[in-house]
Amino acid sequence: MYVAVKGGEKAIENSKKLLAEDRRGDPRVPELTLDQIREQLSLAVDRVMTEGSLYDPELAALAVKQARGDLQEAIFLLRAYRTTLPRFGDSEPIDTAEMSVRRRISATYKDLPGGQVLGPSFDYTHRLLDFALAAGDNRPAAEIADAPVEGDMPRVTEILNYEGLIETEQPDDDGGPVFDLTRSSPRYPADRAARLQNLARGDEGFLLALGYSTQRGYGNNHPFAGEIRMGEVAVEFAPEELGFPIEIGEITVTECQMINQFQGSASQPPQFTQGYGLTFGHCERKAMSMALVDRALRAREFDEPIDAPAQDEEFVMAHSDNVEASGFVQHLKLPHYVDFQAELVTVRALRKSFEERIRDGSEGSVSDAAE
Amino acid sequence: MTSKLPSACSPEQSAERRARQRWMSTLAKAKAGDLEALWNNLPSKPAWTVIRSPEVGMVMARGRAGGTGARFNLGEVTVTRCAVQLDYGAVGFGYVMGRDKRHAELAAVIDAIMQTPSRRETLERAVIAPLSLRQEAATRERGQKAASTKVDFFTLVRES
């Protein structure tokens, strides 16, 4: 007999009210503004935009506020919001060589044209808690050099390319379609475009762990951080009614090019190969992890053995998305009362037959009983 | 994308296109508040009709593998677009990142006026040039702050 059960509306309503009150916290403390979140929690905003797959700092700040700082929840909110908007089209590919650079470092060349520009980074801090920040009223001022950074900064891969020691990334046919996982389900084997889009939206923690696993020997690919750059690039879009591209604004991005030694194969000479990472905002750890995993996933292309999780594209792509992962894990909280009743009946029956067999001195195994 | 665009284009047309691309870029990158203030300072403004109401949507931002290789979809950016027609016929478009409808409408109106040769110079001086200067100054300052973090390597030579 199936009995529909209703109820809980009042409890749910009240739970939402309690959530709202808890979100606000002590009312004697001033309420957070979106400007404060956007300006002072900017790396949280950047992560939410990158994994939420929507560049809009105000919306991301709202999502962070609404989610009480739970960034995965904020990412979910932004993903849900983007489904309500129409898409006007696709941008021209952003040109990171034209980036207005705020940070640019290379671990492979000390002296390179344009130099090592550290920019704003935690790397050189001592990770000691700064109690001046707790006191408030901080008015720090950056130094201002006489001249801005050089406009023309060649990529490290270009430098290696002079000697032909690195694979060259060739542009595809610019008229053709580009796989879009928001419009079609992934097919395996997936192409690089599908993988890069998946990784760009993928969970930072998941990619960090996978990237780390490649360094520890699970699909080792000898990486060097060839170049990491962060700064602003223009977004160009060609509206149909105009017929030519126009700049519609500027976005901050972080790019990482990992350079990996490649021993060569029967068909390819020994050379350096690349892993690529690109994120919205300043998400350096994410961009680096993405580049490591991108390179690991290119194993098939280079006839490398595929024996580690980071090299298994179906495993990586199917589990990288934290909105999907979180949804499936958290669905376990939904009522499973009927399912569980069925399991109870089964386990009670198995238990009964098990006990009967023990009593009868039978040697039959539990798995036999289950069949 | 470039391959889809009309290839035959006279030098005058391409100069005109470049000019329009420049002002549309300046208008799109402007802070909405700056644009509004400069607009409010204009002594005379033409009347216009909105032919496509400001609409918020998205554009898929693309990157290239390795920076130079095959295209891929990075993620979307919010964009607001608007089309207007001036009372004397010129049509202007506004395409600006973000969700500010007023910004998109003003950008469209100014795009329309800029296409009117008799009004272009005044508007260039009153709106486009000041916005452009502000943007260049902001970019320059950002670049100067970054330059202050550039590493000066020096080598210690041991005298033996």
Side-chain angles (χ1 to χ4, degrees):
Chain A
M1 184 175 62
Y2 178 75
V3 184
V5 182
K6 285 178 68 70
E9 288 92 343
K10 184 86 186 150
I12 289 171
E13 254 340 284
N14 290 347
S15 165
K16 289 179 184 168
K17 286 182 185 165
L18 183 55
L19 170 68
E21 189 184 286
D22 277 6
R23 173 192 294 125
R24 176 60 184 86
D26 185 342
R28 289 169 300 185
V29 176
E31 186 173 344
L32 267 178
T33 66
L34 298 193
D35 287 348
Q36 288 172 340
I37 296 171
R38 193 193 59 230
E39 295 298 314
Q40 298 174 40
L41 297 178
S42 55
L43 298 185
V45 166
D46 287 351
R47 178 170 178 193
V48 170
M49 293 195 300
T50 296
E51 294 173 36
S53 221
L54 184 65
Y55 195 99
D56 188 312
E58 280 73 32
L59 287 179
L62 173 58
V64 170
K65 178 173 178 173
Q66 189 177 332
R68 310 172 67 186
D70 178 339
L71 298 190
Q72 288 196 7
E73 181 71 18
I75 288 158
F76 192 169
L77 291 170
L78 208 57
R79 288 270 188 96
Y81 181 83
R82 70 159 282 287
T83 63
T84 67
L85 295 178
R87 191 191 285 178
F88 299 153
D90 306 305
S91 84
E92 304 290 308
I94 57 169
D95 187 356
T96 49
E98 291 294 311
M99 182 187 291
S100 161
V101 164
R102 284 196 282 145
R103 170 166 165 84
R104 187 275 199 123
I105 53 166
S106 169
T108 53
Y109 289 101
K110 178 166 68 73
D111 296 304
L112 72 172
Q116 309 266 358
V117 178
L118 305 183
S121 175
F122 292 126
D123 291 356
Y124 320 100
T125 64
H126 292 111
R127 266 71 181 225
L128 298 173
L129 279 175
D130 178 358
F131 290 97
L133 287 176
D137 196 31
N138 289 280
R139 293 157 199 249
E143 294 294 327
I144 297 182
D146 293 336
V149 284
E150 287 156 55
D152 186 29
M153 288 196 194
R155 295 170 190 283
V156 164
T157 49
E158 271 174 58
I159 299 170
L160 275 169
N161 204 16
Y162 283 136
E163 287 185 76
L165 288 181
I166 192 160
E167 54 154 349
T168 45
E169 294 274 13
Q170 296 298 343
D172 56 340
D173 161 25
D174 271 6
V178 176
F179 180 83
D180 185 353
L181 62 77
T182 68
R183 299 281 166 99
S184 29
S185 329
R187 292 175 301 268
Y188 302 107
D191 64 13
R192 185 105 181 266
R195 295 199 305 255
L196 286 171
Q197 182 182 17
N198 177 285
L199 298 178
R201 296 156 61 93
D203 181 74
E204 178 176 318
F206 179 72
L207 297 183
L208 175 67
L210 278 178
Y212 180 43
S213 75
T214 68
Q215 291 179 284
R216 292 193 64 256
Y218 293 85
N220 197 357
N221 53 36
H222 308 280
F224 293 92
E227 182 164 356
I228 293 166
R229 50 170 78 189
M230 182 276 290
E232 282 65 41
V233 293
V235 178
E236 273 190 84
F237 173 58
E240 261 176 46
E241 60 270 38
L242 282 176
F244 57 85
I246 50 169
E247 290 179 355
I248 56 173
E250 220 176 36
I251 58 174
T252 304
V253 295
T254 303
E255 179 185 56
C256 173
Q257 286 177 288
M258 287 286 179
I259 295 175
N260 304 268
Q261 193 196 103
F262 172 58
Q263 306 280 339
S265 65
S267 56
Q268 295 175 79
Q271 61 180 344
F272 290 103
T273 56
Q274 291 188 49
Y276 189 64
L278 186 65
T279 72
F280 286 148
H282 191 180
C283 299
E284 195 161 298
R285 192 191 302 115
K286 164 71 185 269
M288 294 180 75
S289 307
M290 176 174 168
L292 288 174
V293 178
D294 171 49
R295 176 59 186 84
L297 290 176
R298 298 181 69 195
R300 186 164 23 91
E301 198 181 325
F302 297 115
D303 295 328
E304 292 166 336
I306 297 177
D307 47 24
Q311 296 169 314
D312 180 338
E313 69 178 12
E314 199 165 339
F315 175 78
V316 173
M317 290 177 68
H319 300 108
S320 65
D321 193 286
N322 60 28
V323 176
E324 282 174 17
S326 167
F328 202 56
V329 168
Q330 296 209 62
H331 104 281
L332 293 173
K333 292 184 289 193
L334 292 173
H336 282 67
Y337 306 141
V338 177
D339 286 10
F340 190 68
Q341 279 302 320
E343 300 261 318
L344 265 181
V345 171
T346 309
V347 173
R348 280 186 189 126
L350 291 172
R351 183 66 169 264
K352 189 159 169 256
S353 78
F354 174 80
E355 279 160 2
E356 279 165 8
R357 270 184 288 110
I358 296 288
R359 212 172 32 240
D360 302 346
S362 159
E363 294 290 314
S365 73
V366 177
S367 68
D368 287 343
E371 282 165 13
Chain B
M1 205 60 126
T2 323
S3 56
K4 274 192 269 173
L5 304 177
S7 50
C9 194
S10 73
E12 296 78 40
Q13 280 173 318
S14 57
E16 182 63 20
R17 175 189 290 184
R18 276 198 302 278
R20 193 166 175 205
Q21 283 172 318
R22 184 185 59 85
W23 76 60
M24 288 184 88
S25 159
T26 305
L27 290 167
K29 289 179 183 169
K31 287 198 168 70
D34 290 349
L35 183 57
E36 184 82 45
L38 291 166
W39 172 254
N40 288 337
N41 286 341
L42 287 179
S44 76
K45 303 172 182 89
W48 72 85
T49 327
V50 173
I51 54 179
R52 185 166 62 203
S53 304
E55 180 192 12
V56 179
M58 304 178 294
V59 163
M60 175 56 89
R62 287 183 166 163
R64 287 189 183 282
T68 55
R71 296 162 302 157
F72 71 95
N73 292 311
L74 171 63
E76 282 146 325
V77 300
T78 53
V79 178
T80 306
R81 69 177 173 189
C82 176
V84 302
Q85 184 161 33
L86 302 185
D87 50 1
Y88 53 87
V91 172
F93 295 102
Y95 271 89
V96 302
M97 267 183 57
R99 288 165 299 112
D100 190 326
K101 293 182 175 177
R102 175 74 179 161
H103 186 176
E105 185 170 346
L106 279 184
V109 173
I110 295 169
D111 176 49
I113 309 175
M114 286 297 285
Q115 293 172 66
T116 316
S118 61
R119 304 198 179 214
R120 184 180 294 181
E121 205 181 320
T122 318
L123 206 63
E124 169 75 35
R125 246 197 333 267
V127 179
I128 306 295
L131 288 176
S132 176
L133 277 177
R134 252 170 248 186
Q135 288 162 24
E136 279 161 28
T139 305
R140 188 180 159 82
E141 188 180 316
R142 222 160 50 191
Q144 284 172 292
K145 286 179 181 173
S148 78
T149 69
K150 185 170 161 178
V151 179
D152 259 333
F153 285 110
F154 52 89
T155 313
L156 297 176
V157 181
R158 179 185 289 179
E159 304 285 339
S160 58

